[in-house]
Amino acid sequence: MSRSAALTRGVWGVLATPFHGPDLRVDRTSVERLVRLYRDCGATGLTALGVFGEAAALTPAERREVLAAVAGARGALPVVAGLTALATRPAVEQAVEAVTVLGDGCAGVMIQVNTPDGDALARHLRAVHEACGVGVVVQDYPLHSGVRIDRATLARTVVECPFVVGVKAEAAPTVPAVAAIAEHTGVPVFGGLGGVGLLDELAAGAAGVMTGFSFPEALVTTVGAWHAGGFPAAREALAPWLPLINFEAQAGIAPAVRKELLRRRGLIAEAGVRLPAPPLPAGLAALTEAHLAAVAPVAG
């Protein structure tokens, strides 16, 4: 049966995939610890196997292992499963597998825009949806996919696909993209990119944020402040965290930086990343500690 309820507004945490040992095996225990962090901090839902989760570096068996760990630890949190494949047939296989493992916990599958042609994209999205039976979250992330689509074309495609339950807008500049898609589709739009543009995206009509950050509780607080007190309250809540958000967002090394912060928080055992992601530069270790010390009074 098709399940296509729109994603609930709020913070959908994108999970890291922790590894351990010299051969960088999936660390299931650390995956479960991260899931519990999101449960405890008030996240709306989880996103597994996203770009930050290094899903493209996982084997099919490892993808299943990560999803199984998430399924066992998620409690009542719904889960969006990311698909790395850009071609339809492998995307269908990944989607069916995700729904099989997550069961009723699967709130949708996240599919990257794979063509600037709106009609072709609609056919791709529809094929995956019909095969797996759950809603689709469209991820527009040209920096990762290499595909750029006009925002008007994307909005029209979303309208033509009633099974789309959310859009993740990560095509710079994100603020006008969020505004245009939210206005013309009625579908919840979420920012990403580590939360760098969160405040302005909320002002543009975003339903929340779908991203990874080493302190997701700060994102939860900010979104809650937005709904309670608007721009001034959200700005005050987010301001102490912006230097750390910016530090994590460094091009190329962002996964390594964030994993090291998660390790230092005691949330994952090791901070290793898989190629092609580079490891944390040795010179950033002291700066990482300085950033953690700076947010300690706010983090509590």
Side-chain angles (χ1 to χ4, degrees), residues 205-226:
V209 64
M210 182 180 290
T211 195
F213 178 49
S214 57
F215 285 84
E217 52 267 55
L219 304 180
V220 173
T221 299
T222 299
V223 174
W226 172 267

PDB file of all heavy atoms in Angstrom, residues 205-226:
ATOM      1  N   GLY A 205      10.262  30.352   4.339  1.00  0.00           N
ATOM      2  CA  GLY A 205       9.154  29.407   4.295  1.00  0.00           C
ATOM      3  C   GLY A 205       9.533  27.959   4.478  1.00  0.00           C
ATOM      4  O   GLY A 205       8.691  27.066   4.271  1.00  0.00           O
ATOM      5  N   ALA A 206      10.780  27.683   4.860  1.00  0.00           N
ATOM      6  CA  ALA A 206      11.184  26.302   5.077  1.00  0.00           C
ATOM      7  C   ALA A 206      10.393  25.684   6.218  1.00  0.00           C
ATOM      8  O   ALA A 206      10.064  26.344   7.206  1.00  0.00           O
ATOM      9  CB  ALA A 206      12.685  26.218   5.373  1.00  0.00           C
ATOM     10  N   ALA A 207      10.122  24.383   6.088  1.00  0.00           N
ATOM     11  CA  ALA A 207       9.411  23.645   7.132  1.00  0.00           C
ATOM     12  C   ALA A 207      10.353  23.214   8.245  1.00  0.00           C
ATOM     13  O   ALA A 207       9.906  22.723   9.283  1.00  0.00           O
ATOM     14  CB  ALA A 207       8.727  22.422   6.528  1.00  0.00           C
ATOM     15  N   GLY A 208      11.633  23.391   8.025  1.00  0.00           N
ATOM     16  CA  GLY A 208      12.637  22.981   8.997  1.00  0.00           C
ATOM     17  C   GLY A 208      13.942  22.715   8.300  1.00  0.00           C
ATOM     18  O   GLY A 208      14.252  23.321   7.272  1.00  0.00           O
ATOM     19  N   VAL A 209      14.698  21.773   8.833  1.00  0.00           N
ATOM     20  CA  VAL A 209      16.009  21.474   8.278  1.00  0.00           C
ATOM     21  C   VAL A 209      16.236  19.968   8.302  1.00  0.00           C
ATOM     22  O   VAL A 209      15.797  19.271   9.222  1.00  0.00           O
ATOM     23  CB  VAL A 209      17.115  22.216   9.064  1.00  0.00           C
ATOM     24  CG1 VAL A 209      17.182  21.730  10.506  1.00  0.00           C
ATOM     25  CG2 VAL A 209      18.470  22.091   8.383  1.00  0.00           C
ATOM     26  N   MET A 210      16.892  19.477   7.279  1.00  0.00           N
ATOM     27  CA  MET A 210      17.253  18.066   7.180  1.00  0.00           C
ATOM     28  C   MET A 210      18.757  18.023   6.946  1.00  0.00           C
ATOM     29  O   MET A 210      19.238  18.200   5.825  1.00  0.00           O
ATOM     30  CB  MET A 210      16.493  17.387   6.030  1.00  0.00           C
ATOM     31  CG  MET A 210      16.773  15.898   5.888  1.00  0.00           C
ATOM     32  SD  MET A 210      15.861  15.128   4.521  1.00  0.00           S
ATOM     33  CE  MET A 210      14.186  15.172   5.165  1.00  0.00           C
ATOM     34  N   THR A 211      19.487  17.821   8.033  1.00  0.00           N
ATOM     35  CA  THR A 211      20.935  17.912   7.922  1.00  0.00           C
ATOM     36  C   THR A 211      21.598  17.238   9.099  1.00  0.00           C
ATOM     37  O   THR A 211      20.947  16.862  10.081  1.00  0.00           O
ATOM     38  CB  THR A 211      21.372  19.395   7.841  1.00  0.00           C
ATOM     39  OG1 THR A 211      22.719  19.476   7.387  1.00  0.00           O
ATOM     40  CG2 THR A 211      21.261  20.078   9.201  1.00  0.00           C
ATOM     41  N   GLY A 212      22.917  17.105   9.019  1.00  0.00           N
ATOM     42  CA  GLY A 212      23.706  16.645  10.139  1.00  0.00           C
ATOM     43  C   GLY A 212      24.422  17.829  10.765  1.00  0.00           C
ATOM     44  O   GLY A 212      24.812  18.766  10.074  1.00  0.00           O
ATOM     45  N   PHE A 213      24.566  17.807  12.078  1.00  0.00           N
ATOM     46  CA  PHE A 213      25.335  18.796  12.821  1.00  0.00           C
ATOM     47  C   PHE A 213      25.741  18.116  14.112  1.00  0.00           C
ATOM     48  O   PHE A 213      24.988  17.310  14.665  1.00  0.00           O
ATOM     49  CB  PHE A 213      24.513  20.058  13.083  1.00  0.00           C
ATOM     50  CG  PHE A 213      25.212  21.125  13.897  1.00  0.00           C
ATOM     51  CD1 PHE A 213      26.496  21.538  13.569  1.00  0.00           C
ATOM     52  CD2 PHE A 213      24.596  21.703  15.000  1.00  0.00           C
ATOM     53  CE1 PHE A 213      27.153  22.515  14.321  1.00  0.00           C
ATOM     54  CE2 PHE A 213      25.234  22.677  15.748  1.00  0.00           C
ATOM     55  CZ  PHE A 213      26.519  23.076  15.407  1.00  0.00           C
ATOM     56  N   SER A 214      26.926  18.417  14.614  1.00  0.00           N
ATOM     57  CA  SER A 214      27.422  17.709  15.789  1.00  0.00           C
ATOM     58  C   SER A 214      26.619  18.006  17.051  1.00  0.00           C
ATOM     59  O   SER A 214      26.690  17.257  18.024  1.00  0.00           O
ATOM     60  CB  SER A 214      28.900  18.034  16.014  1.00  0.00           C
ATOM     61  OG  SER A 214      29.091  19.432  16.155  1.00  0.00           O
ATOM     62  N   PHE A 215      25.844  19.088  17.036  1.00  0.00           N
ATOM     63  CA  PHE A 215      24.956  19.423  18.150  1.00  0.00           C
ATOM     64  C   PHE A 215      23.539  19.611  17.601  1.00  0.00           C
ATOM     65  O   PHE A 215      23.033  20.737  17.518  1.00  0.00           O
ATOM     66  CB  PHE A 215      25.421  20.688  18.866  1.00  0.00           C
ATOM     67  CG  PHE A 215      26.627  20.504  19.740  1.00  0.00           C
ATOM     68  CD1 PHE A 215      27.900  20.559  19.192  1.00  0.00           C
ATOM     69  CD2 PHE A 215      26.499  20.257  21.098  1.00  0.00           C
ATOM     70  CE1 PHE A 215      29.026  20.393  19.983  1.00  0.00           C
ATOM     71  CE2 PHE A 215      27.615  20.093  21.905  1.00  0.00           C
ATOM     72  CZ  PHE A 215      28.891  20.152  21.348  1.00  0.00           C
ATOM     73  N   PRO A 216      22.863  18.533  17.232  1.00  0.00           N
ATOM     74  CA  PRO A 216      21.523  18.690  16.640  1.00  0.00           C
ATOM     75  C   PRO A 216      20.527  19.337  17.583  1.00  0.00           C
ATOM     76  O   PRO A 216      19.545  19.928  17.131  1.00  0.00           O
ATOM     77  CB  PRO A 216      21.122  17.241  16.314  1.00  0.00           C
ATOM     78  CG  PRO A 216      21.970  16.395  17.202  1.00  0.00           C
ATOM     79  CD  PRO A 216      23.259  17.123  17.326  1.00  0.00           C
ATOM     80  N   GLU A 217      20.780  19.262  18.887  1.00  0.00           N
ATOM     81  CA  GLU A 217      19.875  19.908  19.831  1.00  0.00           C
ATOM     82  C   GLU A 217      19.820  21.416  19.598  1.00  0.00           C
ATOM     83  O   GLU A 217      18.790  22.051  19.878  1.00  0.00           O
ATOM     84  CB  GLU A 217      20.286  19.596  21.277  1.00  0.00           C
ATOM     85  CG  GLU A 217      21.734  19.863  21.612  1.00  0.00           C
ATOM     86  CD  GLU A 217      22.646  18.656  21.439  1.00  0.00           C
ATOM     87  OE1 GLU A 217      22.659  18.075  20.338  1.00  0.00           O
ATOM     88  OE2 GLU A 217      23.358  18.320  22.404  1.00  0.00           O
ATOM     89  N   ALA A 218      20.895  22.002  19.050  1.00  0.00           N
ATOM     90  CA  ALA A 218      20.885  23.432  18.742  1.00  0.00           C
ATOM     91  C   ALA A 218      19.930  23.729  17.593  1.00  0.00           C
ATOM     92  O   ALA A 218      19.247  24.768  17.588  1.00  0.00           O
ATOM     93  CB  ALA A 218      22.294  23.899  18.380  1.00  0.00           C
ATOM     94  N   LEU A 219      19.859  22.832  16.622  1.00  0.00           N
ATOM     95  CA  LEU A 219      18.927  23.020  15.509  1.00  0.00           C
ATOM     96  C   LEU A 219      17.487  22.885  15.989  1.00  0.00           C
ATOM     97  O   LEU A 219      16.608  23.647  15.572  1.00  0.00           O
ATOM     98  CB  LEU A 219      19.219  21.999  14.409  1.00  0.00           C
ATOM     99  CG  LEU A 219      20.643  21.974  13.849  1.00  0.00           C
ATOM    100  CD1 LEU A 219      20.771  20.910  12.769  1.00  0.00           C
ATOM    101  CD2 LEU A 219      21.049  23.342  13.315  1.00  0.00           C
ATOM    102  N   VAL A 220      17.253  21.913  16.860  1.00  0.00           N
ATOM    103  CA  VAL A 220      15.911  21.720  17.415  1.00  0.00           C
ATOM    104  C   VAL A 220      15.472  22.967  18.188  1.00  0.00           C
ATOM    105  O   VAL A 220      14.339  23.450  18.035  1.00  0.00           O
ATOM    106  CB  VAL A 220      15.879  20.479  18.324  1.00  0.00           C
ATOM    107  CG1 VAL A 220      14.532  20.375  19.056  1.00  0.00           C
ATOM    108  CG2 VAL A 220      16.133  19.212  17.510  1.00  0.00           C
ATOM    109  N   THR A 221      16.375  23.504  18.986  1.00  0.00           N
ATOM    110  CA  THR A 221      16.062  24.715  19.758  1.00  0.00           C
ATOM    111  C   THR A 221      15.767  25.894  18.844  1.00  0.00           C
ATOM    112  O   THR A 221      14.831  26.673  19.083  1.00  0.00           O
ATOM    113  CB  THR A 221      17.227  25.058  20.697  1.00  0.00           C
ATOM    114  OG1 THR A 221      17.420  23.986  21.613  1.00  0.00           O
ATOM    115  CG2 THR A 221      16.941  26.337  21.476  1.00  0.00           C
ATOM    116  N   THR A 222      16.544  26.027  17.778  1.00  0.00           N
ATOM    117  CA  THR A 222      16.365  27.151  16.855  1.00  0.00           C
ATOM    118  C   THR A 222      15.026  27.077  16.136  1.00  0.00           C
ATOM    119  O   THR A 222      14.305  28.080  16.030  1.00  0.00           O
ATOM    120  CB  THR A 222      17.509  27.187  15.833  1.00  0.00           C
ATOM    121  OG1 THR A 222      18.753  27.359  16.524  1.00  0.00           O
ATOM    122  CG2 THR A 222      17.324  28.314  14.834  1.00  0.00           C
ATOM    123  N   VAL A 223      14.677  25.892  15.623  1.00  0.00           N
ATOM    124  CA  VAL A 223      13.398  25.747  14.925  1.00  0.00           C
ATOM    125  C   VAL A 223      12.247  25.972  15.894  1.00  0.00           C
ATOM    126  O   VAL A 223      11.240  26.622  15.555  1.00  0.00           O
ATOM    127  CB  VAL A 223      13.309  24.364  14.247  1.00  0.00           C
ATOM    128  CG1 VAL A 223      11.920  24.143  13.652  1.00  0.00           C
ATOM    129  CG2 VAL A 223      14.368  24.234  13.155  1.00  0.00           C
ATOM    130  N   GLY A 224      12.377  25.463  17.106  1.00  0.00           N
ATOM    131  CA  GLY A 224      11.340  25.706  18.112  1.00  0.00           C
ATOM    132  C   GLY A 224      11.203  27.183  18.436  1.00  0.00           C
ATOM    133  O   GLY A 224      10.088  27.703  18.584  1.00  0.00           O
ATOM    134  N   ALA A 225      12.345  27.878  18.521  1.00  0.00           N
ATOM    135  CA  ALA A 225      12.313  29.314  18.793  1.00  0.00           C
ATOM    136  C   ALA A 225      11.653  30.077  17.655  1.00  0.00           C
ATOM    137  O   ALA A 225      10.934  31.066  17.878  1.00  0.00           O
ATOM    138  CB  ALA A 225      13.733  29.833  19.021  1.00  0.00           C
ATOM    139  N   TRP A 226      11.872  29.621  16.432  1.00  0.00           N
ATOM    140  CA  TRP A 226      11.247  30.270  15.275  1.00  0.00           C
ATOM    141  C   TRP A 226       9.721  30.219  15.389  1.00  0.00           C
ATOM    142  O   TRP A 226       9.034  31.223  15.206  1.00  0.00           O
ATOM    143  CB  TRP A 226      11.697  29.613  13.981  1.00  0.00           C
ATOM    144  CG  TRP A 226      10.937  30.130  12.795  1.00  0.00           C
ATOM    145  CD1 TRP A 226       9.807  29.616  12.232  1.00  0.00           C
ATOM    146  CD2 TRP A 226      11.231  31.326  12.057  1.00  0.00           C
ATOM    147  NE1 TRP A 226       9.384  30.405  11.190  1.00  0.00           N
ATOM    148  CE2 TRP A 226      10.234  31.464  11.068  1.00  0.00           C
ATOM    149  CE3 TRP A 226      12.244  32.281  12.150  1.00  0.00           C
ATOM    150  CZ2 TRP A 226      10.236  32.523  10.172  1.00  0.00           C
ATOM    151  CZ3 TRP A 226      12.228  33.339  11.259  1.00  0.00           C
ATOM    152  CH2 TRP A 226      11.242  33.450  10.269  1.00  0.00           C
TER     153      TRP A 226
END
